[in-house]
């Protein structure tokens, strides 16, 4: 008789099995005890009837404490009311290691305390659900690109130059030379796109922004595709298809956790289907200005405060105002060129704006995707590098792509943590990654 995982038990109804796991909780009703065991794959209600088991088994169930490791043997029974649709009629219950004074109890705990013991907080049902959904979402990202013939390219984490300026880079010594932790794999994806046509990378990225908002981490994961012979319109269509796919997959496979454990309004996620509304930056500014006027009229904004002006960046509060009028993500395109990185191509019809696009999630979650069309003209790109005061020698290899077979190309990056926060309905991104790295936290 081999040990089974809890998720496998519905296939073994009527059979005697062994389950190894941890005690999640327990309750007692006279001469019947109900220990709840978890093993990472699910939760199992065990039923221990005093008259049906030996004294040693009964005493072990009475003594066992939260998060003790246990081995349970019994008969699998169908129980529609139980998680997973089954329960275990216990024959024997063995304590493998007894836990004392487990610090997370059923009472309320502050987030700061729980983050200090994140290594244990991962075991809680809500955190378990979030990270299972994160795993599903990441797999959906990989499947999406694999099924569309994209080649996975592992971009370097240590880089000699910035892709978006040096102000938010973590600098390190590289055998006497300066090196930086990567903000993005994009610059390395562009040559790969010239070799393979369709590529993507998926890995950790690092930004030293001194920000303590609920949307920011210093270490986070990004998935970034890059496609040769693609313009902004094609890029936006890919963004739309991609977001719809990953959200639909997470909802389809984890609706029970989303609705039951996280209490997420899944009806909002069902709305995430193409087409997404598309507005220009200029139109977004008008939406923001109108909303600011309305807030001032309601006494929720200083009427003397200036309205947003064209050319200003759209911050988190403004993103919420823009996305608040839509039931699905909204795509804001053609931002002012001065707000974008040096590699963005300017719109030939209006050089003041760049051929870029951000995807803003509804419900106050803001930007989850940023991207656009890259500059493919050598002379224009050389000028842009000089204007941004970037070291030209560090980008010679990048300029080679425009010297040898330059083509229109585009791509984007999606932050995994922001997307998970939105899908799960979480207030802060710190709960969307196993071990969060923020300005004030680098442990555990």
């Amino acid at each position: 008789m081999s040990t089974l995982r809890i998720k496998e038990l519905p296939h073994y109804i009527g059979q005697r099995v062994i389950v190894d796991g941890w005690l999640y909780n327990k309750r007692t009703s006279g001469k019947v005890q109900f220990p709840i065991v978890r093993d990472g794959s699910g939760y199992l209600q065990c039923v221990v009837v005093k008259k049906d088991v030996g004294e040693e088994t009964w005493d072990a169930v009475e003594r066992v404490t939260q998060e003790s490791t246990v081995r349970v043997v019994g008969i699998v029974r169908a129980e529609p009311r139980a998680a997973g649709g089954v329960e275990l009629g216990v024959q024997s219950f063995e304590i493998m290691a007894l836990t004392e004074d487990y610090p997370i109890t059923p009472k309320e705990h502050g987030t700061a305390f729980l983050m200090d013991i994140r290594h244990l907080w991962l075991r809680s049902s809500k955190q378990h659900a979030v990270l299972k959904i994160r795993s599903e979402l990441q797999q959906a990202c990989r499947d999406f690109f694999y099924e569309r013939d994209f080649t996975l390219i592992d971009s370097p984490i240590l880089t000699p130059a910035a892709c978006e300026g040096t102000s938010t880079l973590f600098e390190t010594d590289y055998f006497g030379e300066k090196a930086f932790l990567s903000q993005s794999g994009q610059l390395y994806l562009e040559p790969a796109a010239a070799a393979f046509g369709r590529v993507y990378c998926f890995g950790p990225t690092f930004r030293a922004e001194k920000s303590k908002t609920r949307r920011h981490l210093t270490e986070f994961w990004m998935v970034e595709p890059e496609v040769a012979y693609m313009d902004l319109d094609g890029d936006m269509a890919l963004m739309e298809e991609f977001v719809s796919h990953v959200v639909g997959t997470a909802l389809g496979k984890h609706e029970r956790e989303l609705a039951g454990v996280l209490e997420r309004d899944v009806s909002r996620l069902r709305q995430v289907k193409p087409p997404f509304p598309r507005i220009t930056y200029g139109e977004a500014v008008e939406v923001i200005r109108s909303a600011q006027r309305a807030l001032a009229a309601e006494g929720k904004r200083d009427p003397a405060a200036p309205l947003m002006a064209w050319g200003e960046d759209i911050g988190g509060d403004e993103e919420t105002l823009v996305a608040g009028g839509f039931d699905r993500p909204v795509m804001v395109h053609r931002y002012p060129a001065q707000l974008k990185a040096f590699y963005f191509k300017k719109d030939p019809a209006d050089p003041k704006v760049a051929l870029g696009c951000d995807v803003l999630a509804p419900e106050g979650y803001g930007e989850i995707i940023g991207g656009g069309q890259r500059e493919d003209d050598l002379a224009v790109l050389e000028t842009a590098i000089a204007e941004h005061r970037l070291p030209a020698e560090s980008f010679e290899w990048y300029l080679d792509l425009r010297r040898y077979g330059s083509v229109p190309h585009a791509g984007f990056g999606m932050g995994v943590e922001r997307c998970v926060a939105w899908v799960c309905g979480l207030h802060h991104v710190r709960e969307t990654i196993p071990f969060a790295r923020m300005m004030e936290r680098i442990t555990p």
Side-chain angles (χ1 to χ4, degrees):
M1 184 171 53
S2 60
T3 302
L4 296 177
R5 302 202 79 197
I6 290 171
K7 67 182 295 184
E8 301 170 333
L9 296 185
H11 303 293
Y12 291 85
I13 292 174
Q15 298 185 42
R16 188 169 183 260
V17 301
I18 301 173
V19 174
D20 290 336
W22 296 262
L23 183 80
Y24 184 71
N25 204 347
K26 70 175 180 178
R27 58 188 177 86
T28 302
S29 179
K31 297 183 178 181
V32 182
Q33 298 191 79
F34 301 92
I36 308 297
V37 174
R38 65 170 189 88
D39 71 347
S41 75
Y43 297 84
L44 176 65
Q45 175 175 282
C46 301
V47 183
V48 188
V49 181
K50 187 172 185 179
K51 67 180 180 62
D52 294 337
V53 298
E55 185 175 337
E56 184 177 349
T57 291
W58 182 260
D59 289 344
V61 178
E62 284 195 317
R63 288 190 304 111
V64 71
T65 53
Q66 184 182 359
E67 289 303 318
S68 294
T69 50
V70 299
R71 168 165 288 181
V72 190
V73 179
I75 304 297
V76 181
R77 302 191 298 232
E79 175 48 79
R81 295 170 296 177
V86 297
E87 65 180 14
L88 194 70
V90 173
Q91 296 176 333
S92 70
F93 188 99
E94 180 183 358
I95 301 173
M96 311 296 288
L98 191 67
T99 292
E100 296 183 9
D101 302 320
Y102 188 68
I104 302 176
T105 62
K107 71 175 185 179
E108 285 290 323
H109 296 283
T111 303
F113 168 76
L114 292 170
M115 289 299 293
D116 285 339
I117 54 170
R118 181 65 170 168
H119 52 292
L120 300 178
W121 194 24
L122 297 179
R123 305 180 186 187
S124 299
S125 59
K126 179 180 176 182
Q127 302 306 310
H128 187 270
V130 169
L131 295 182
K132 288 287 284 186
I133 292 164
R134 176 193 173 101
S135 176
E136 193 70 63
L137 191 145
Q138 288 179 299
Q139 186 61 47
C141 293
R142 297 183 187 278
D143 290 343
F144 178 88
F145 292 116
Y146 182 80
E147 291 164 3
R148 288 159 180 78
D149 197 31
F150 280 69
T151 299
L152 174 64
I153 299 294
D154 296 318
S155 59
I157 290 174
L158 288 169
T159 66
C163 66
E164 297 182 12
T166 58
S167 62
T168 60
L169 285 170
F170 285 108
E171 183 180 319
T172 186
D173 176 76
Y174 192 75
F175 304 106
E177 295 185 16
K178 282 185 180 181
F180 306 95
L181 298 183
S182 177
Q183 295 174 315
S184 164
Q186 180 210 316
L187 296 189
Y188 295 93
L189 284 183
E190 291 188 49
F196 297 93
R198 299 178 180 183
V199 296
Y200 78 103
C201 67
F202 200 170
T205 51
F206 307 85
R207 299 204 179 181
E209 292 178 89
K210 293 184 177 179
S211 174
K212 295 182 179 180
T213 78
R214 66 188 183 94
R215 299 178 181 178
H216 286 87
L217 297 170
T218 57
E219 177 184 327
F220 57 100
W221 281 65
M222 279 228 291
V223 55
E224 301 176 82
E226 194 76 22
V227 184
Y229 294 99
M230 178 175 276
D231 60 10
L232 178 61
D233 287 340
D235 198 29
M236 291 171 68
L238 185 65
M239 295 177 190
E240 181 180 73
E241 185 183 5
F242 175 65
V243 172
S244 301
H245 172 81
V246 297
V247 173
T249 299
L251 178 60
K253 295 192 176 182
H254 290 283
E255 183 171 348
R256 184 183 66 81
E257 288 91 342
L258 286 164
V261 180
L262 302 177
E263 299 180 341
R264 179 67 161 105
D265 180 359
V266 294
S267 67
R268 302 298 299 268
L269 299 178
R270 293 195 185 101
Q271 301 297 320
V272 184
K273 296 178 181 178
F276 292 173
R278 302 182 182 192
I279 62 174
T280 65
Y281 166 87
E283 291 169 331
V285 170
E286 290 307 313
V287 170
I288 294 166
R289 290 169 64 89
S290 177
Q292 289 173 335
R293 291 189 192 97
L295 289 171
E298 295 170 8
K300 298 178 181 178
R301 187 177 190 271
D302 181 358
L307 300 177
M308 182 177 178
W310 196 98
E312 295 179 12
D313 203 0
I314 298 178
D317 291 341
E318 290 76 26
E319 288 175 350
T320 298
L321 295 177
V322 173
F326 302 97
D327 65 354
R328 66 198 67 196
V330 57
M331 309 178 82
V332 181
H333 58 95
R334 289 173 169 80
Y335 282 71
Q338 73 264 22
L339 297 179
K340 292 300 182 182
F342 74 94
Y343 50 74
F344 275 86
K345 189 174 185 66
K346 294 182 174 67
D347 188 347
D350 183 3
K352 296 194 306 296
V353 301
L355 295 177
C357 176
D358 289 349
V359 178
L360 309 183
E363 303 174 82
Y365 286 94
E367 180 194 342
I368 55 171
I369 279 182
Q373 188 171 340
R374 321 307 185 189
E375 180 53 68
D376 54 279
D377 184 279
L378 175 62
V380 173
L381 191 58
E382 287 176 325
T383 300
I385 289 173
E387 289 176 346
H388 283 76
R389 298 181 181 180
L390 298 172
E393 64 277 6
S394 297
F395 292 94
E396 278 302 310
W397 66 271
Y398 186 67
L399 292 170
D400 276 349
L401 305 178
R402 279 71 180 173
R403 296 185 179 109
Y404 310 117
S406 185
V407 298
H409 58 288
F412 62 82
M414 185 188 81
V416 168
E417 288 73 22
R418 287 190 183 183
C419 188
V420 173
W422 165 44
V423 169
C424 293
L426 302 176
H427 176 70
H428 200 295
V429 292
R430 64 191 164 200
E431 294 182 44
T432 66
I433 191 168
F435 297 97
R437 296 292 177 255
M438 300 177 286
M439 271 189 67
E440 73 282 6
R441 178 172 298 279
I442 196 170
T443 58

